[in-house]
Amino acid sequence: MDSPFVRPRSEGRRRWRWRELSFSSQFLGAAAIVLFVAMAVLGSWVTEQIKQSVLKTSGAQGAQFMTGFLEPHVQQLQRGRELSDEVHRTLDALFIGTPVGDSLISIKIWRVDGTVIYSTNKALIGQKFVSSDVTRAASGEVIAEYEDLVSQESAYEQSLGVALIEVYGPLYLRGTDQVLAIGEIYENADALAAELEISRLRTWMVVCITTMLMLAVLYFIVRRGDMTIVAQRSELRQHVLEARQLAHQNEEFRLVAEKARLDASEANEQLLDRIGSDLHDGPIQLLTLLTLKLSNRSIAKQLKVLPEALTPLISSLRTIAGEAITELRNLSAGLSLPEISELTLEQALGSAVSHHVDITGDRVSVVLRDLPDHITEAIKICAYRIIQEGLNNAQKHAKDSEKSVVAFVERGILTIEVRDSGAKSSAPVTDGVGRQKMGLTAMRNRVGALKGTVSVTTDPEQGTVVEAKLPLDPT
């Protein structure tokens, strides 16, 4: 047994076919239905208006007829309730078998209470019927109806099988508005029926022709618009396809650029590490050897006797060489990155602070909170370098100030703040090209490569704050 909720296959196929039609074809179908229904209503309305106009004219003519031929013979009703036999004979002579009567099918005179007091069909005289038309006519209204013979008193007229116009009209007491009786006549309406049929056919022809012309004009307009829409849709699909291809290419370029950026950052770290190692294995070793050669014992061994005049010079050279060695060792230590790949972010940042304290002896307060255990190597190295450069900058320009490092993660952003309380500016505000400027520039470039930002705020009284923000997911 089929479920009542299962849609018939033929219905689904019809809907599918309808949706597959072009806009112009859908418009043609829908507009044809709407226009034909609208024109059918209009045609029926026009036909009905024609019929009502004819009935209004027939009613007026019938009222004039009854006023001229019937009203003079009902004046005696002001003295009684029945018409005299003489009046009956006069009316029969007037309407039965005469040219006047031949144009009429039937004639009746009613009392206002619904009793027939005269009729060319003698069987109805004296009978009383309930008729709304008689009641309306008794109030002074002229009523004309076409083929509306459904009442009992019109059984004879219904049996004739011809089209009829039925007219009810009030018959007044002469010179007053008092209704003495109601007149009713039935006219042969075959000519009217033929005229209405011709008018109906003509109306429908005009309506159909007008509808077809309107439909054709609208269809061609919509068809043209449909063709434009189809062409534009095809172009739009092509543009969308091209846009998708460009987006795919851009995504590939972005991934390549992202990889190149990370590779460049890694290569830069490798270069810095190599430079630090070269400094340690090259110039530092040579300067250490030079220091040994400049020792008094070594020179005395070579010269047997050290002239007193050379002692201050040799001492000064040893001091300069020692300072150079210290500077180069600090530089080498700053360039070479310690092994932090196995450390968490918190451990790596703590290592950066500890390394700085071991070298400089500065006091640095550290606050690390909400830091993730797992993070990319590039972000870990960048965060280490930020703290390293920030503390080096503070040590150089505000050596005796209190320093602090704060790092936390909020909404996927790693924020690092390196702060000092020195009175002097620990960050240049000019556009100089010294090492300080290069250090901040390198920091900004490194952070920018990971889609982060760096800001430096300097206050003569509050000191300097270096703040860096790094997204944990730079993609």
Side-chain angles (χ1 to χ4, degrees), residues 380-401:
K380 189 188 301 183
I381 293 174
C382 183
Y384 185 97
R385 291 295 191 187
I386 291 170
I387 292 179
Q388 184 184 56
E389 183 64 30
L391 289 176
N392 289 339
N393 179 60
Q395 197 274 337
K396 183 175 182 179
H397 293 275
K399 183 175 181 179
D400 297 328
S401 67

Side-chain angles (χ1 to χ4, degrees), residues 187-368:
E187 300 181 33
N188 191 328
D190 287 339
L192 174 61
E195 182 179 350
L196 287 176
E197 185 64 25
I198 293 173
S199 298
R200 183 180 293 109
L201 292 176
R202 289 176 177 174
T203 300
W204 278 105
M205 288 178 61
V206 172
V207 167
C208 288
I209 292 173
T210 303
T211 302
M212 294 300 295
L213 289 176
M214 291 174 59
L215 193 60
V217 172
L218 292 176
Y219 174 76
F220 283 120
I221 294 175
V222 174
R223 178 63 178 172
R224 183 177 179 181
D226 185 27
M227 294 175 65
T228 302
I229 292 174
V230 170
Q232 292 177 347
R233 179 181 294 175
S234 178
E235 293 179 0
L236 182 59
R237 287 176 178 172
Q238 182 64 27
H239 292 162
V240 170
L241 180 60
E242 293 175 356
R244 287 178 179 174
Q245 293 176 348
L246 289 175
H248 181 69
Q249 292 177 358
N250 290 337
E251 181 65 18
E252 291 180 347
F253 292 153
R254 188 189 66 81
L255 294 177
V256 171
E258 185 78 11
K259 185 176 183 303
R261 176 177 56 79
L262 296 177
D263 291 345
S265 178
E266 182 179 355
N268 182 62
E269 291 299 330
Q270 293 175 356
L271 177 61
L272 292 177
D273 186 69
R274 181 177 177 181
I275 293 173
S277 298
D278 290 344
L279 286 174
H280 182 272
D281 297 337
I284 293 177
Q285 298 296 330
L286 293 175
L287 288 172
T288 301
L289 179 60
L290 176 61
T291 303
L292 293 175
K293 293 291 186 179
L294 291 176
S295 66
N296 293 335
R297 183 178 300 177
S298 175
I299 296 176
K301 186 182 295 184
Q302 297 292 331
L303 299 177
K304 302 302 182 177
V305 177
L306 180 65
E308 293 183 2
L310 294 177
T311 301
L313 176 60
I314 293 173
S315 178
S316 176
L317 291 176
R318 282 201 307 268
T319 301
I320 293 173
E323 292 178 354
I325 291 173
T326 302
E327 287 290 333
L328 288 175
R329 282 177 178 172
N330 291 338
L331 180 61
S332 175
L335 292 176
S336 298
L337 189 70
E339 185 61 38
I340 62 173
S341 59
E342 299 298 328
L343 302 180
T344 64
L345 178 60
E346 184 173 348
Q347 292 171 343
L349 299 185
S351 174
V353 176
S354 299
H355 186 69
H356 176 81
V357 171
D358 292 341
I359 293 175
T360 64
D362 286 343
R363 299 186 308 276
V364 180
S365 62
V366 182
V367 178
L368 306 177

Side-chain angles (χ1 to χ4, degrees), residues 38-53:
M39 290 304 176
V41 174
L42 178 60
S44 300
W45 181 81
V46 170
T47 302
E48 182 65 22
Q49 293 303 308
I50 293 174
K51 184 178 75 172
Q52 293 300 325
S53 177

